[in-house]
Amino acid sequence: MNELINNIDKVHTTELGVYRISKNLSLDNVDVVQYCKNKILDKNAKIVSHGKNWYIYLDGDKIVVNRTSYTIITAHKIKQDEIF
């Protein structure tokens, strides 16, 4: 997880990712990448490394970032029965 924080400037997403994340998190007129970076850097964020991705949990949101490319793959609201 320190690796993710140390490389926060590399975190990005695709055009489709911006659309998907905005829709899933109900974000309007927000810089989606900056929103996700702020969540990642929050001291209360729980960052879990599993397989090829990092999973960031904070404030009912789950953000998925690829460990190799630092691409934000998706983000969504955590389901009540989701275990992390």
Side-chain angles (χ1 to χ4, degrees):
M1 66 191 126
N2 282 339
E3 182 182 347
L4 177 59
I5 292 169
N6 290 340
N7 290 287
I8 196 71
D9 58 311
K10 295 180 182 178
V11 173
H12 66 283
T13 195
T14 62
E15 192 173 316
L16 182 59
V18 169
Y19 172 77
R20 182 173 44 247
I21 295 162
S22 295
K23 181 181 172 205
N24 291 350
L25 297 181
S26 301
L27 302 174
D28 289 328
N29 300 318
V30 172
D31 180 336
V32 170
V33 173
Q34 192 58 51
Y35 177 88
C36 291
K37 285 181 178 182
N38 290 343
K39 293 277 187 178
I40 293 165
L41 294 172
D42 190 293
K43 65 180 176 132
N44 295 314
K46 178 175 175 80
I47 302 173
V48 178
S49 174
H50 183 71
K52 62 181 181 176
N53 297 322
W54 282 296
Y55 298 86
I56 300 90
Y57 300 90
L58 182 68
D59 300 331
D61 293 344
K62 175 182 175 182
I63 301 167
V64 183
V65 179
N66 180 277
R67 290 183 61 175
T68 305
S69 66
Y70 297 96
T71 303
I72 306 165
I73 299 166
T74 192
H76 56 82
K77 295 293 182 189
I78 298 172
K79 298 173 187 161
Q80 285 186 342
D81 61 347
E82 189 169 2
I83 299 172
F84 55 91

